[in-house]
Amino acid sequence: MKKVILAFFILCPWLFLAQNYLEGKRLYCESKSPEALRLFNIGIKTLNLNKSLEKKYLKKTSEVFLNAYKADSTFCDAMFFAGYSLRLMNDEYATVCYYMADSLSNNKSIEFKINLAAEAMKFGNNEGFQLARKKYIETIKYFPESPEGYYGLALTSTIFKDLEEGLENLNIAIKRYNELGLKINEDLFFLKGTLLTLNGNYLAGLEYLEKSSSFKDNENYKIYYSLCLLKTSEVKEDKIMRRKAKRVYNKIVDKNKIPEDIRLLLVF
């Protein structure tokens, strides 16, 4: 199931930095060190000037932020932006910086928690997923009005197999997004369709997967869509739908990657 998680993670739009924070106009850990602030402002300026994200400049920018942290070891924002610069280079040390920033911030920043969870999930191992789950739970605790924690918990439910809880949290996330007037993107429908399918609700799963057809070339999408089509066709005794299920199934490139419990259900 790790492939499912990573697919959603890569496409997930909820990893964010508020624009005023990205511009260094808002801090979670105000520094009283003139040198730390001077270096931090240089880092912010060079980060925002590097529109093409050239790695040699990102490396120097991360070093500037790390030096700002060295000048003031309570400066969580400097450590976070060191991690942010490293993440743009796909440097695994970004996770360490994010972790330190989150610890220093005393649960003040949703950005720190969400970005740390996202980086942890990139490792694709149990330790990373456990850390991500912990940070999503903390996000719900400290930022209950935000949808991100609920979405993240739903995301990791495919790993930890608490699928019903995952679906409940995803529904809360959808409610929060609606309350905030934010657009519900197709990746969220994809996740809901997947969770419904894994919970055995194939008819509802089919409805949400068809709302996320932009993912039709995704291997996980083809697996769960073909399963929903097949099981729904059996209930409706619909031969046309069954043939469609088979066509979708035949498009799965590597059938050996189909989870065993799902493979046993895909019998034509």
Side-chain angles (χ1 to χ4, degrees):
M1 301 298 288
K2 290 178 183 178
K3 294 287 186 179
V4 176
I5 281 288
L6 292 177
F8 281 126
F9 164 71
I10 292 167
L11 296 159
C12 175
W14 317 125
L15 314 178
F16 66 96
L17 281 177
Q19 188 59 34
N20 62 346
Y21 187 67
L22 188 60
E23 294 172 353
K25 295 177 180 177
R26 174 170 56 85
L27 300 176
Y28 289 109
C29 300
E30 294 285 351
S31 176
K32 295 181 180 179
S33 166
E35 178 62 8
L37 287 170
R38 184 185 73 83
L39 290 168
F40 179 80
N41 289 328
I42 291 173
I44 290 292
K45 184 176 181 179
T46 56
L47 181 62
N48 284 285
L49 284 173
N50 187 7
K51 303 297 184 183
S52 59
L53 301 179
E54 291 187 41
K55 286 191 174 182
K56 63 179 180 179
Y57 296 121
L58 286 171
K59 187 176 188 326
K60 290 179 181 179
T61 301
S62 68
E63 291 170 355
V64 170
F65 284 124
L66 286 171
N67 285 332
Y69 168 75
K70 289 176 183 178
D72 180 356
S73 60
T74 69
F75 200 178
C76 66
D77 303 277
M79 183 54 74
F80 175 80
F81 274 102
Y84 182 69
S85 302
L86 290 167
R87 184 190 70 78
L88 294 172
M89 299 167 56
N90 294 316
D91 190 316
E92 291 186 355
Y93 188 65
T95 309
V96 176
C97 295
Y98 280 164
Y99 188 91
M100 291 177 66
D102 184 57
S103 299
L104 289 167
S105 72
N106 295 315
N107 302 310
K108 294 176 184 176
S109 169
I110 187 172
E111 288 99 335
F112 293 3
K113 292 188 183 300
I114 293 298
N115 284 276
L116 171 56
E119 283 301 300
M121 286 169 64
K122 277 185 178 180
F123 289 109
N125 57 29
N126 187 61
E127 184 179 2
F129 292 130
Q130 289 282 359
L131 177 57
R133 168 63 70 99
K134 178 182 177 181
K135 292 304 161 182
Y136 287 132
I137 290 172
E138 289 178 4
T139 301
I140 292 172
K141 178 179 179 180
Y142 294 105
F143 307 95
E145 298 307 312
S146 172
E148 279 80 9
Y150 304 101
Y151 180 87
L153 202 62
L155 197 61
T156 56
S157 70
T158 58
I159 288 293
F160 296 105
K161 303 298 178 69
D162 46 358
L163 300 170
E164 290 185 9
E165 184 180 353
L167 194 54
E168 289 172 7
N169 277 276
L170 186 59
N171 287 333
I172 295 173
I174 292 171
K175 181 181 177 182
R176 293 288 189 273
Y177 282 118
N178 285 329
E179 289 170 347
L180 294 169
L182 298 174
K183 181 182 178 182
I184 305 298
N185 290 328
E186 285 194 18
D187 70 309
L188 195 146
F189 291 139
F190 183 11
L191 178 55
K192 185 162 184 176
T194 298
L195 288 173
L196 285 164
T197 304
L198 292 171
N199 276 298
N201 193 340
Y202 302 114
L203 184 59
L206 181 61
E207 176 187 350
Y208 278 93
L209 288 172
E210 288 184 337
K211 289 181 179 180
S212 52
S213 59
S214 63
F215 290 86
K216 64 183 180 181
D217 294 327
N218 180 284
E219 287 287 274
N220 291 300
Y221 181 89
K222 287 182 278 190
I223 291 169
Y224 295 109
Y225 188 43
S226 63
L227 178 60
C228 283
L229 285 167
L230 176 61
K231 292 304 178 183
T232 302
S233 74
E234 291 173 353
V235 173
K236 294 186 174 184
E237 298 182 349
D238 188 329
K239 293 181 180 179
I240 294 175
M241 185 178 288
R242 184 182 180 86
R243 287 197 291 271
K244 183 177 180 180
K246 181 66 172 177
R247 287 198 301 273
V248 175
Y249 174 79
N250 288 337
K251 291 179 181 178
I252 299 170
V253 176
D254 189 351
K255 294 179 177 58
N256 291 323
K257 292 184 178 180
I258 301 174
E260 181 62 26
D261 54 338
I262 301 297
R263 187 183 297 117
L264 293 173
L265 297 171
L266 284 167
V267 179
F268 294 90

